PDB file of all heavy atoms in Angstrom:
ATOM      1  N   SER A   1     127.884 143.907 122.100  1.00  0.00           N
ATOM      2  CA  SER A   1     128.028 142.732 121.245  1.00  0.00           C
ATOM      3  C   SER A   1     128.874 143.010 120.002  1.00  0.00           C
ATOM      4  O   SER A   1     129.573 142.136 119.520  1.00  0.00           O
ATOM      5  CB  SER A   1     126.659 142.200 120.826  1.00  0.00           C
ATOM      6  OG  SER A   1     125.960 143.209 120.103  1.00  0.00           O
ATOM      7  N   ASN A   2     128.842 144.221 119.485  1.00  0.00           N
ATOM      8  CA  ASN A   2     129.607 144.563 118.286  1.00  0.00           C
ATOM      9  C   ASN A   2     129.929 146.058 118.313  1.00  0.00           C
ATOM     10  O   ASN A   2     129.355 146.832 117.563  1.00  0.00           O
ATOM     11  CB  ASN A   2     128.816 144.187 117.022  1.00  0.00           C
ATOM     12  CG  ASN A   2     129.642 144.361 115.776  1.00  0.00           C
ATOM     13  OD1 ASN A   2     130.869 144.378 115.827  1.00  0.00           O
ATOM     14  ND2 ASN A   2     128.972 144.494 114.653  1.00  0.00           N
ATOM     15  N   PRO A   3     130.868 146.452 119.187  1.00  0.00           N
ATOM     16  CA  PRO A   3     131.137 147.882 119.351  1.00  0.00           C
ATOM     17  C   PRO A   3     131.726 148.520 118.101  1.00  0.00           C
ATOM     18  O   PRO A   3     132.442 147.885 117.337  1.00  0.00           O
ATOM     19  CB  PRO A   3     132.125 147.923 120.513  1.00  0.00           C
ATOM     20  CG  PRO A   3     132.769 146.590 120.517  1.00  0.00           C
ATOM     21  CD  PRO A   3     131.741 145.636 120.001  1.00  0.00           C
ATOM     22  N   LYS A   4     131.397 149.783 117.907  1.00  0.00           N
ATOM     23  CA  LYS A   4     131.951 150.533 116.785  1.00  0.00           C
ATOM     24  C   LYS A   4     133.467 150.651 116.939  1.00  0.00           C
ATOM     25  O   LYS A   4     134.202 150.507 115.977  1.00  0.00           O
ATOM     26  CB  LYS A   4     131.297 151.906 116.710  1.00  0.00           C
ATOM     27  CG  LYS A   4     131.705 152.706 115.502  1.00  0.00           C
ATOM     28  CD  LYS A   4     130.859 153.947 115.342  1.00  0.00           C
ATOM     29  CE  LYS A   4     131.215 154.644 114.031  1.00  0.00           C
ATOM     30  NZ  LYS A   4     130.356 155.794 113.798  1.00  0.00           N
ATOM     31  N   TYR A   5     133.919 150.926 118.167  1.00  0.00           N
ATOM     32  CA  TYR A   5     135.342 151.003 118.478  1.00  0.00           C
ATOM     33  C   TYR A   5     135.626 150.153 119.709  1.00  0.00           C
ATOM     34  O   TYR A   5     134.836 150.117 120.638  1.00  0.00           O
ATOM     35  CB  TYR A   5     135.774 152.450 118.744  1.00  0.00           C
ATOM     36  CG  TYR A   5     135.455 153.374 117.608  1.00  0.00           C
ATOM     37  CD1 TYR A   5     134.454 154.329 117.714  1.00  0.00           C
ATOM     38  CD2 TYR A   5     136.133 153.275 116.393  1.00  0.00           C
ATOM     39  CE1 TYR A   5     134.142 155.165 116.671  1.00  0.00           C
ATOM     40  CE2 TYR A   5     135.814 154.095 115.333  1.00  0.00           C
ATOM     41  CZ  TYR A   5     134.828 155.042 115.473  1.00  0.00           C
ATOM     42  OH  TYR A   5     134.513 155.866 114.420  1.00  0.00           O
ATOM     43  N   SER A   6     136.785 149.503 119.695  1.00  0.00           N
ATOM     44  CA  SER A   6     137.182 148.661 120.827  1.00  0.00           C
ATOM     45  C   SER A   6     138.698 148.723 120.967  1.00  0.00           C
ATOM     46  O   SER A   6     139.368 149.420 120.205  1.00  0.00           O
ATOM     47  CB  SER A   6     136.732 147.218 120.602  1.00  0.00           C
ATOM     48  OG  SER A   6     137.520 146.615 119.580  1.00  0.00           O
ATOM     49  N   ALA A   7     139.230 147.955 121.890  1.00  0.00           N
ATOM     50  CA  ALA A   7     140.684 147.891 122.088  1.00  0.00           C
ATOM     51  C   ALA A   7     141.401 147.408 120.827  1.00  0.00           C
ATOM     52  O   ALA A   7     142.557 147.742 120.607  1.00  0.00           O
ATOM     53  CB  ALA A   7     141.008 146.983 123.267  1.00  0.00           C
ATOM     54  N   LYS A   8     140.717 146.650 120.001  1.00  0.00           N
ATOM     55  CA  LYS A   8     141.320 146.110 118.783  1.00  0.00           C
ATOM     56  C   LYS A   8     141.317 147.091 117.605  1.00  0.00           C
ATOM     57  O   LYS A   8     141.922 146.828 116.576  1.00  0.00           O
ATOM     58  CB  LYS A   8     140.593 144.836 118.372  1.00  0.00           C
ATOM     59  CG  LYS A   8     140.753 143.728 119.391  1.00  0.00           C
ATOM     60  CD  LYS A   8     139.957 142.510 118.989  1.00  0.00           C
ATOM     61  CE  LYS A   8     140.067 141.445 120.066  1.00  0.00           C
ATOM     62  NZ  LYS A   8     139.236 140.282 119.774  1.00  0.00           N
ATOM     63  N   THR A   9     140.632 148.222 117.742  1.00  0.00           N
ATOM     64  CA  THR A   9     140.556 149.201 116.664  1.00  0.00           C
ATOM     65  C   THR A   9     141.938 149.744 116.354  1.00  0.00           C
ATOM     66  O   THR A   9     142.622 150.267 117.242  1.00  0.00           O
ATOM     67  CB  THR A   9     139.614 150.358 117.038  1.00  0.00           C
ATOM     68  OG1 THR A   9     138.316 149.837 117.323  1.00  0.00           O
ATOM     69  CG2 THR A   9     139.512 151.382 115.901  1.00  0.00           C
ATOM     70  N   LYS A  10     142.357 149.607 115.110  1.00  0.00           N
ATOM     71  CA  LYS A  10     143.642 150.140 114.672  1.00  0.00           C
ATOM     72  C   LYS A  10     143.575 151.657 114.652  1.00  0.00           C
ATOM     73  O   LYS A  10     142.631 152.238 114.115  1.00  0.00           O
ATOM     74  CB  LYS A  10     144.014 149.614 113.276  1.00  0.00           C
ATOM     75  CG  LYS A  10     144.219 148.116 113.225  1.00  0.00           C
ATOM     76  CD  LYS A  10     145.443 147.725 113.996  1.00  0.00           C
ATOM     77  CE  LYS A  10     145.715 146.243 113.875  1.00  0.00           C
ATOM     78  NZ  LYS A  10     146.742 145.798 114.811  1.00  0.00           N
ATOM     79  N   LEU A  11     144.555 152.299 115.241  1.00  0.00           N
ATOM     80  CA  LEU A  11     144.551 153.752 115.337  1.00  0.00           C
ATOM     81  C   LEU A  11     144.591 154.417 113.960  1.00  0.00           C
ATOM     82  O   LEU A  11     143.984 155.459 113.756  1.00  0.00           O
ATOM     83  CB  LEU A  11     145.697 154.228 116.225  1.00  0.00           C
ATOM     84  CG  LEU A  11     145.526 153.862 117.706  1.00  0.00           C
ATOM     85  CD1 LEU A  11     146.797 154.184 118.474  1.00  0.00           C
ATOM     86  CD2 LEU A  11     144.344 154.595 118.307  1.00  0.00           C
ATOM     87  N   ALA A  12     145.280 153.803 113.013  1.00  0.00           N
ATOM     88  CA  ALA A  12     145.353 154.383 111.667  1.00  0.00           C
ATOM     89  C   ALA A  12     143.973 154.464 111.018  1.00  0.00           C
ATOM     90  O   ALA A  12     143.721 155.364 110.222  1.00  0.00           O
ATOM     91  CB  ALA A  12     146.301 153.576 110.809  1.00  0.00           C
ATOM     92  N   THR A  13     143.061 153.555 111.389  1.00  0.00           N
ATOM     93  CA  THR A  13     141.721 153.570 110.782  1.00  0.00           C
ATOM     94  C   THR A  13     140.855 154.734 111.292  1.00  0.00           C
ATOM     95  O   THR A  13     139.838 155.033 110.697  1.00  0.00           O
ATOM     96  CB  THR A  13     140.964 152.243 111.005  1.00  0.00           C
ATOM     97  OG1 THR A  13     140.701 152.079 112.402  1.00  0.00           O
ATOM     98  CG2 THR A  13     141.736 151.058 110.453  1.00  0.00           C
ATOM     99  N   VAL A  14     141.270 155.340 112.384  1.00  0.00           N
ATOM    100  CA  VAL A  14     140.541 156.507 112.917  1.00  0.00           C
ATOM    101  C   VAL A  14     141.333 157.801 112.711  1.00  0.00           C
ATOM    102  O   VAL A  14     141.081 158.808 113.362  1.00  0.00           O
ATOM    103  CB  VAL A  14     140.128 156.315 114.398  1.00  0.00           C
ATOM    104  CG1 VAL A  14     139.134 155.173 114.543  1.00  0.00           C
ATOM    105  CG2 VAL A  14     141.340 156.121 115.289  1.00  0.00           C
ATOM    106  N   GLY A  15     142.302 157.748 111.823  1.00  0.00           N
ATOM    107  CA  GLY A  15     143.075 158.937 111.483  1.00  0.00           C
ATOM    108  C   GLY A  15     144.286 159.193 112.353  1.00  0.00           C
ATOM    109  O   GLY A  15     144.867 160.281 112.311  1.00  0.00           O
ATOM    110  N   LEU A  16     144.675 158.213 113.174  1.00  0.00           N
ATOM    111  CA  LEU A  16     145.807 158.403 114.075  1.00  0.00           C
ATOM    112  C   LEU A  16     146.967 157.513 113.625  1.00  0.00           C
ATOM    113  O   LEU A  16     147.349 156.559 114.312  1.00  0.00           O
ATOM    114  CB  LEU A  16     145.406 158.095 115.505  1.00  0.00           C
ATOM    115  CG  LEU A  16     144.285 158.963 116.073  1.00  0.00           C
ATOM    116  CD1 LEU A  16     143.870 158.472 117.458  1.00  0.00           C
ATOM    117  CD2 LEU A  16     144.695 160.418 116.120  1.00  0.00           C
ATOM    118  N   ASN A  17     147.537 157.846 112.478  1.00  0.00           N
ATOM    119  CA  ASN A  17     148.681 157.051 111.992  1.00  0.00           C
ATOM    120  C   ASN A  17     149.921 157.382 112.826  1.00  0.00           C
ATOM    121  O   ASN A  17     149.876 158.223 113.724  1.00  0.00           O
ATOM    122  CB  ASN A  17     148.910 157.293 110.495  1.00  0.00           C
ATOM    123  CG  ASN A  17     149.251 158.735 110.180  1.00  0.00           C
ATOM    124  OD1 ASN A  17     149.878 159.433 110.971  1.00  0.00           O
ATOM    125  ND2 ASN A  17     148.808 159.198 109.018  1.00  0.00           N
ATOM    126  N   SER A  18     151.029 156.742 112.528  1.00  0.00           N
ATOM    127  CA  SER A  18     152.235 156.918 113.349  1.00  0.00           C
ATOM    128  C   SER A  18     152.729 158.367 113.349  1.00  0.00           C
ATOM    129  O   SER A  18     153.263 158.833 114.349  1.00  0.00           O
ATOM    130  CB  SER A  18     153.342 155.970 112.889  1.00  0.00           C
ATOM    131  OG  SER A  18     153.735 156.265 111.569  1.00  0.00           O
ATOM    132  N   TYR A  19     152.546 159.092 112.273  1.00  0.00           N
ATOM    133  CA  TYR A  19     152.968 160.493 112.217  1.00  0.00           C
ATOM    134  C   TYR A  19     152.134 161.358 113.164  1.00  0.00           C
ATOM    135  O   TYR A  19     152.664 162.241 113.839  1.00  0.00           O
ATOM    136  CB  TYR A  19     152.877 161.038 110.785  1.00  0.00           C
ATOM    137  CG  TYR A  19     153.732 160.275 109.816  1.00  0.00           C
ATOM    138  CD1 TYR A  19     153.156 159.430 108.875  1.00  0.00           C
ATOM    139  CD2 TYR A  19     155.126 160.363 109.858  1.00  0.00           C
ATOM    140  CE1 TYR A  19     153.935 158.703 107.991  1.00  0.00           C
ATOM    141  CE2 TYR A  19     155.914 159.639 108.978  1.00  0.00           C
ATOM    142  CZ  TYR A  19     155.315 158.820 108.043  1.00  0.00           C
ATOM    143  OH  TYR A  19     156.094 158.106 107.189  1.00  0.00           O
ATOM    144  N   VAL A  20     150.851 161.101 113.187  1.00  0.00           N
ATOM    145  CA  VAL A  20     149.966 161.849 114.093  1.00  0.00           C
ATOM    146  C   VAL A  20     150.299 161.496 115.530  1.00  0.00           C
ATOM    147  O   VAL A  20     150.411 162.386 116.396  1.00  0.00           O
ATOM    148  CB  VAL A  20     148.472 161.559 113.793  1.00  0.00           C
ATOM    149  CG1 VAL A  20     147.564 162.224 114.824  1.00  0.00           C
ATOM    150  CG2 VAL A  20     148.101 162.006 112.391  1.00  0.00           C
ATOM    151  N   ARG A  21     150.484 160.208 115.821  1.00  0.00           N
ATOM    152  CA  ARG A  21     150.817 159.802 117.186  1.00  0.00           C
ATOM    153  C   ARG A  21     152.126 160.425 117.643  1.00  0.00           C
ATOM    154  O   ARG A  21     152.252 160.840 118.794  1.00  0.00           O
ATOM    155  CB  ARG A  21     150.840 158.275 117.292  1.00  0.00           C
ATOM    156  CG  ARG A  21     149.483 157.652 117.090  1.00  0.00           C
ATOM    157  CD  ARG A  21     149.412 156.194 117.468  1.00  0.00           C
ATOM    158  NE  ARG A  21     150.386 155.318 116.852  1.00  0.00           N
ATOM    159  CZ  ARG A  21     150.230 154.723 115.672  1.00  0.00           C
ATOM    160  NH1 ARG A  21     149.142 154.945 114.946  1.00  0.00           N
ATOM    161  NH2 ARG A  21     151.146 153.893 115.217  1.00  0.00           N
ATOM    162  N   ARG A  22     153.081 160.521 116.738  1.00  0.00           N
ATOM    163  CA  ARG A  22     154.363 161.158 117.088  1.00  0.00           C
ATOM    164  C   ARG A  22     154.129 162.630 117.444  1.00  0.00           C
ATOM    165  O   ARG A  22     154.717 163.154 118.378  1.00  0.00           O
ATOM    166  CB  ARG A  22     155.326 161.026 115.918  1.00  0.00           C
ATOM    167  CG  ARG A  22     156.684 161.600 116.218  1.00  0.00           C
ATOM    168  CD  ARG A  22     157.684 161.399 115.131  1.00  0.00           C
ATOM    169  NE  ARG A  22     157.069 161.081 113.859  1.00  0.00           N
ATOM    170  CZ  ARG A  22     157.723 160.857 112.738  1.00  0.00           C
ATOM    171  NH1 ARG A  22     159.036 160.918 112.732  1.00  0.00           N
ATOM    172  NH2 ARG A  22     157.106 160.581 111.625  1.00  0.00           N
ATOM    173  N   ALA A  23     153.247 163.298 116.702  1.00  0.00           N
ATOM    174  CA  ALA A  23     152.944 164.698 116.971  1.00  0.00           C
ATOM    175  C   ALA A  23     152.174 164.899 118.266  1.00  0.00           C
ATOM    176  O   ALA A  23     152.114 166.020 118.799  1.00  0.00           O
ATOM    177  CB  ALA A  23     152.167 165.286 115.797  1.00  0.00           C
ATOM    178  N   MET A  24     151.581 163.833 118.798  1.00  0.00           N
ATOM    179  CA  MET A  24     150.794 163.906 120.034  1.00  0.00           C
ATOM    180  C   MET A  24     151.671 163.873 121.281  1.00  0.00           C
ATOM    181  O   MET A  24     151.158 163.939 122.401  1.00  0.00           O
ATOM    182  CB  MET A  24     149.818 162.720 120.093  1.00  0.00           C
ATOM    183  CG  MET A  24     148.702 162.766 119.100  1.00  0.00           C
ATOM    184  SD  MET A  24     147.733 161.235 119.030  1.00  0.00           S
ATOM    185  CE  MET A  24     147.250 161.006 120.745  1.00  0.00           C
ATOM    186  N   LEU A  25     152.981 163.786 121.136  1.00  0.00           N
ATOM    187  CA  LEU A  25     153.875 163.588 122.268  1.00  0.00           C
ATOM    188  C   LEU A  25     153.667 164.602 123.395  1.00  0.00           C
ATOM    189  O   LEU A  25     153.386 164.222 124.528  1.00  0.00           O
ATOM    190  CB  LEU A  25     155.339 163.607 121.806  1.00  0.00           C
ATOM    191  CG  LEU A  25     156.374 163.466 122.913  1.00  0.00           C
ATOM    192  CD1 LEU A  25     156.291 162.080 123.542  1.00  0.00           C
ATOM    193  CD2 LEU A  25     157.757 163.723 122.383  1.00  0.00           C
ATOM    194  N   ASN A  26     153.809 165.880 123.093  1.00  0.00           N
ATOM    195  CA  ASN A  26     153.700 166.897 124.151  1.00  0.00           C
ATOM    196  C   ASN A  26     152.301 166.924 124.756  1.00  0.00           C
ATOM    197  O   ASN A  26     152.165 167.011 125.987  1.00  0.00           O
ATOM    198  CB  ASN A  26     154.068 168.276 123.600  1.00  0.00           C
ATOM    199  CG  ASN A  26     155.556 168.374 123.300  1.00  0.00           C
ATOM    200  OD1 ASN A  26     156.347 167.642 123.837  1.00  0.00           O
ATOM    201  ND2 ASN A  26     155.907 169.292 122.412  1.00  0.00           N
ATOM    202  N   ALA A  27     151.289 166.846 123.931  1.00  0.00           N
ATOM    203  CA  ALA A  27     149.923 166.873 124.446  1.00  0.00           C
ATOM    204  C   ALA A  27     149.622 165.672 125.322  1.00  0.00           C
ATOM    205  O   ALA A  27     148.945 165.794 126.344  1.00  0.00           O
ATOM    206  CB  ALA A  27     148.926 166.946 123.292  1.00  0.00           C
ATOM    207  N   THR A  28     150.111 164.517 124.908  1.00  0.00           N
ATOM    208  CA  THR A  28     149.907 163.300 125.709  1.00  0.00           C
ATOM    209  C   THR A  28     150.555 163.449 127.076  1.00  0.00           C
ATOM    210  O   THR A  28     149.914 163.223 128.109  1.00  0.00           O
ATOM    211  CB  THR A  28     150.465 162.070 124.988  1.00  0.00           C
ATOM    212  OG1 THR A  28     149.774 161.903 123.748  1.00  0.00           O
ATOM    213  CG2 THR A  28     150.297 160.809 125.827  1.00  0.00           C
ATOM    214  N   ASN A  29     151.810 163.858 127.089  1.00  0.00           N
ATOM    215  CA  ASN A  29     152.508 164.020 128.366  1.00  0.00           C
ATOM    216  C   ASN A  29     151.867 165.107 129.218  1.00  0.00           C
ATOM    217  O   ASN A  29     151.684 164.919 130.424  1.00  0.00           O
ATOM    218  CB  ASN A  29     153.988 164.306 128.132  1.00  0.00           C
ATOM    219  CG  ASN A  29     154.752 163.046 127.790  1.00  0.00           C
ATOM    220  OD1 ASN A  29     154.546 161.992 128.365  1.00  0.00           O
ATOM    221  ND2 ASN A  29     155.638 163.148 126.811  1.00  0.00           N
ATOM    222  N   ASP A  30     151.497 166.231 128.621  1.00  0.00           N
ATOM    223  CA  ASP A  30     150.866 167.328 129.376  1.00  0.00           C
ATOM    224  C   ASP A  30     149.522 166.920 129.952  1.00  0.00           C
ATOM    225  O   ASP A  30     149.208 167.184 131.113  1.00  0.00           O
ATOM    226  CB  ASP A  30     150.701 168.564 128.493  1.00  0.00           C
ATOM    227  CG  ASP A  30     152.019 169.222 128.143  1.00  0.00           C
ATOM    228  OD1 ASP A  30     153.060 168.873 128.735  1.00  0.00           O
ATOM    229  OD2 ASP A  30     152.011 170.093 127.224  1.00  0.00           O
ATOM    230  N   THR A  31     148.698 166.268 129.124  1.00  0.00           N
ATOM    231  CA  THR A  31     147.357 165.849 129.553  1.00  0.00           C
ATOM    232  C   THR A  31     147.434 164.837 130.685  1.00  0.00           C
ATOM    233  O   THR A  31     146.741 164.966 131.697  1.00  0.00           O
ATOM    234  CB  THR A  31     146.580 165.249 128.366  1.00  0.00           C
ATOM    235  OG1 THR A  31     146.450 166.259 127.357  1.00  0.00           O
ATOM    236  CG2 THR A  31     145.216 164.752 128.787  1.00  0.00           C
ATOM    237  N   MET A  32     148.267 163.839 130.512  1.00  0.00           N
ATOM    238  CA  MET A  32     148.355 162.792 131.542  1.00  0.00           C
ATOM    239  C   MET A  32     149.026 163.306 132.815  1.00  0.00           C
ATOM    240  O   MET A  32     148.643 162.927 133.916  1.00  0.00           O
ATOM    241  CB  MET A  32     149.092 161.575 130.983  1.00  0.00           C
ATOM    242  CG  MET A  32     148.330 160.877 129.883  1.00  0.00           C
ATOM    243  SD  MET A  32     146.675 160.369 130.451  1.00  0.00           S
ATOM    244  CE  MET A  32     146.096 159.486 129.037  1.00  0.00           C
ATOM    245  N   GLN A  33     149.996 164.205 132.672  1.00  0.00           N
ATOM    246  CA  GLN A  33     150.639 164.802 133.842  1.00  0.00           C
ATOM    247  C   GLN A  33     149.626 165.612 134.648  1.00  0.00           C
ATOM    248  O   GLN A  33     149.579 165.550 135.868  1.00  0.00           O
ATOM    249  CB  GLN A  33     151.790 165.709 133.403  1.00  0.00           C
ATOM    250  CG  GLN A  33     152.479 166.405 134.556  1.00  0.00           C
ATOM    251  CD  GLN A  33     153.308 165.484 135.397  1.00  0.00           C
ATOM    252  OE1 GLN A  33     154.069 164.694 134.859  1.00  0.00           O
ATOM    253  NE2 GLN A  33     153.176 165.551 136.698  1.00  0.00           N
ATOM    254  N   ALA A  34     148.781 166.354 133.933  1.00  0.00           N
ATOM    255  CA  ALA A  34     147.760 167.178 134.604  1.00  0.00           C
ATOM    256  C   ALA A  34     146.754 166.298 135.349  1.00  0.00           C
ATOM    257  O   ALA A  34     146.301 166.662 136.444  1.00  0.00           O
ATOM    258  CB  ALA A  34     147.044 168.061 133.589  1.00  0.00           C
ATOM    259  N   GLN A  35     146.406 165.163 134.778  1.00  0.00           N
ATOM    260  CA  GLN A  35     145.392 164.313 135.404  1.00  0.00           C
ATOM    261  C   GLN A  35     145.945 163.364 136.457  1.00  0.00           C
ATOM    262  O   GLN A  35     145.290 163.075 137.444  1.00  0.00           O
ATOM    263  CB  GLN A  35     144.656 163.505 134.333  1.00  0.00           C
ATOM    264  CG  GLN A  35     143.773 164.374 133.483  1.00  0.00           C
ATOM    265  CD  GLN A  35     142.916 163.559 132.547  1.00  0.00           C
ATOM    266  OE1 GLN A  35     142.508 162.443 132.863  1.00  0.00           O
ATOM    267  NE2 GLN A  35     142.623 164.119 131.390  1.00  0.00           N
ATOM    268  N   PHE A  36     147.168 162.859 136.222  1.00  0.00           N
ATOM    269  CA  PHE A  36     147.691 161.814 137.109  1.00  0.00           C
ATOM    270  C   PHE A  36     148.895 162.262 137.925  1.00  0.00           C
ATOM    271  O   PHE A  36     149.529 161.456 138.606  1.00  0.00           O
ATOM    272  CB  PHE A  36     147.983 160.541 136.302  1.00  0.00           C
ATOM    273  CG  PHE A  36     146.722 159.985 135.713  1.00  0.00           C
ATOM    274  CD1 PHE A  36     146.370 160.277 134.394  1.00  0.00           C
ATOM    275  CD2 PHE A  36     145.836 159.255 136.475  1.00  0.00           C
ATOM    276  CE1 PHE A  36     145.177 159.799 133.852  1.00  0.00           C
ATOM    277  CE2 PHE A  36     144.648 158.776 135.948  1.00  0.00           C
ATOM    278  CZ  PHE A  36     144.322 159.068 134.635  1.00  0.00           C
ATOM    279  N   LYS A  37     149.203 163.546 137.851  1.00  0.00           N
ATOM    280  CA  LYS A  37     150.214 164.221 138.684  1.00  0.00           C
ATOM    281  C   LYS A  37     151.538 163.453 138.737  1.00  0.00           C
ATOM    282  O   LYS A  37     152.067 163.067 137.720  1.00  0.00           O
ATOM    283  CB  LYS A  37     149.672 164.467 140.100  1.00  0.00           C
ATOM    284  CG  LYS A  37     148.321 165.099 140.160  1.00  0.00           C
ATOM    285  CD  LYS A  37     148.346 166.540 139.711  1.00  0.00           C
ATOM    286  CE  LYS A  37     146.968 167.153 139.897  1.00  0.00           C
ATOM    287  NZ  LYS A  37     146.567 167.948 138.793  1.00  0.00           N
TER     288      LYS A  37
END
């Protein structure tokens, strides 16, 4: 009824601003490649 986090949660409010997301590039690609081949 009132989730703490949802699809509407702004990433910056959880510490994932655009600079952090940019730094996540390699890890995102590596993680998803490992899981989804």
